[in-house]
Amino acid sequence: MALVFAMAAVLWGIGAMMGTPRRMRWIMIAILWAGVVVIHLTLPASAQLRLATGETAAPWLLMGGFLGLILLYRAMLARLRNRVDGAQPESGAAGQDGPFSATELERYARHVVLREVGGTGQRRLKDAKVLVIGAGGLGAPALLYLAAAGVGTIGVIDDDRVENANLQRQVIHSDDRIGMPKVFSAEMVLRAQNPFVTLRPYHRRLTAEVAGELFADYDLVLDGSDNSETRYLVNATAVALGKPLISGALSQWEGQIALFDPARGGPCYQCVFPQAAAPGLAPSCAEAGVIGPLPGVIGSMMALEAIKLITGAGQDLRGRMLIHDALHAEHRTMRIHAQPDCPVCAAHRFTGESADDQPVA
């Protein structure tokens, strides 16, 4: 085998001295490898050429297969890079951070090969800024999948701390982080999961005084809050600023998700729920209970709707509410309509037809 490696080194050196392109030098070495394999497959075992080149073809075949896999991987990576780099961002897209690294291309390869996402969609995800309200049951899976998908900037606001009772369903937190602010617990996990995204944790309660300035810096809002006061505040702020709002809710075995987007012709949250439920009619998860995996189902669907909305893929939930009954394994979708006299969104509603299919970022 040493003889073959010496011949390969000589060929490479002569090619370098003559200025032969690297690709041609590799072709010469490939021809040498093929000749050695042919020798081992055609000559008898006692032939001197076989004895001088390793006696058996097995190591050469293994070596060729291994190098072939490396070359195939590099070719696929180059193809993905061409698809991504060839996708031009929208003229209105903000903050293009340059081409994807090789590691990012490998990470997002399953997105890039999807016809509905591709390089253009992945760039939109990288440029997007998404704000998540709450780092609890719904926020936990939504945050995980937004970061994994490569959403460029993710903000999360929550004033709670991790409690032992959260861990049955809030999968982003762990036992050793009990007592830590939820936003910082989530930040630790998301940074470990995807170092290519920018994370903005806000350890504070969302109030009317800060909501407008906070929302203004994001393209899309996901509401996973667990109280009516925050839900109505999130809705009013999103409507006023023209931000799409993906809202999820849970109760025992049932969850719901909807897209509220008056700026693109849909209803707002208050169109569907004109006023908060009377005390006792909508008990919290602590009072009524909730099955552990249900927040994961609804929170993941919220992330999925966000990805579709950002990339422009498929049909979104604008004007529809999806209800998931986990106890009976049923989905049902109901139409929801904007109210002409809604005090929140009537003045902000878009009534044309051209905005429905436009990505939000």
Side-chain angles (χ1 to χ4, degrees), residues 232 235-236 260 267-275 339 342-345:
Y232 285 101
N235 177 68
F260 300 111
C268 79
Y269 181 85
Q270 195 153 338
C271 288
V272 182
F273 304 101
Q275 58 186 10
Q339 299 302 315
C342 176
V344 174
C345 75

Side-chain angles (χ1 to χ4, degrees), residues 294-311:
L294 181 61
V297 174
I298 304 301
S300 297
M301 292 176 68
M302 292 171 69
L304 179 58
E305 287 301 310
I307 291 168
K308 287 164 53 184
L309 200 59
I310 292 166
T311 61

Side-chain angles (χ1 to χ4, degrees), residues 151-162:
V151 172
T153 302
I154 302 172
V156 54
I157 182 167
D158 197 317
D159 66 340
D160 283 348
R161 295 178 179 269
V162 179

Side-chain angles (χ1 to χ4, degrees), residues 63-78:
M63 185 183 303
F66 180 71
L67 290 174
L69 288 174
I70 292 177
L71 292 174
L72 179 62
Y73 169 78
R74 293 185 63 181
M76 291 178 63
L77 199 60

Side-chain angles (χ1 to χ4, degrees), residues 67-311:
L67 290 174
L69 288 174
I70 292 177
L71 292 174
L72 179 62
Y73 169 78
R74 293 185 63 181
M76 291 178 63
L77 199 60
R79 182 183 176 189
L80 289 173
R81 181 179 287 110
N82 289 336
R83 287 190 65 177
V84 173
D85 290 344
Q88 297 300 318
E90 297 293 318
S91 58
Q96 174 60 31
D97 294 326
F100 291 91
S101 68
T103 303
E104 288 177 284
L105 285 174
E106 182 181 9
R107 183 180 295 251
Y108 307 133
R110 271 69 172 181
H111 276 177
V112 175
V113 298
L114 281 175
R115 177 176 58 84
E116 297 85 355
V117 178
T120 299
Q122 195 61 47
R123 279 195 179 231
R124 287 175 179 161
L125 287 170
K126 185 174 184 178
D127 291 339
K129 296 179 179 180
V130 177
L131 177 65
V132 178
I133 313 298
L138 291 171
L143 287 164
L144 287 168
Y145 277 107
L146 290 173
V151 172
T153 302
I154 302 172
V156 54
I157 182 167
D158 197 317
D159 66 340
D160 283 348
R161 295 178 179 269
V162 179
E163 300 177 2
N164 185 44
N166 301 148
L167 304 182
Q168 164 253 12
R169 64 200 179 280
Q170 298 181 17
V171 294
I172 206 168
H173 309 302
S174 61
D175 188 78
D176 63 339
R177 295 198 292 275
I178 290 175
M180 178 184 291
K182 287 183 178 180
V183 293
F184 298 137
S185 172
E187 180 188 23
M188 289 177 59
V189 174
L190 300 182
R191 288 195 187 282
Q193 182 196 59
N194 192 347
F196 300 103
V197 303
T198 298
L199 302 171
R200 299 176 179 174
Y202 306 99
H203 178 49
R204 62 176 303 167
R205 187 169 186 82
L206 183 67
T207 63
E209 288 73 24
V210 303
E213 183 178 356
L214 178 62
F215 283 32
D217 200 29
Y218 291 89
D219 307 308
L220 171 64
V221 179
L222 274 63
D223 184 12
S225 59
D226 59 359
N227 65 87
S228 296
E229 179 184 356
T230 301
R231 288 184 178 277
Y232 285 101
L233 171 61
V234 169
N235 177 68
T237 307
V239 169
L241 295 175
K243 307 292 183 180
L245 169 62
I246 296 173
S247 178
L250 304 168
S251 178
Q252 297 183 324
W253 291 87
E254 189 172 278
Q256 66 186 40
I257 175 175
L259 167 62
F260 300 111
D261 194 9
R264 293 170 180 81
C268 79
Y269 181 85
Q270 195 153 338
C271 288
V272 182
F273 304 101
Q275 58 186 10
L281 293 182
S284 67
C285 290
E287 297 168 323
V290 61
I291 192 67
L294 181 61
V297 174
I298 304 301
S300 297
M301 292 176 68
M302 292 171 69
L304 179 58
E305 287 301 310
I307 291 168
K308 287 164 53 184
L309 200 59
I310 292 166
T311 61

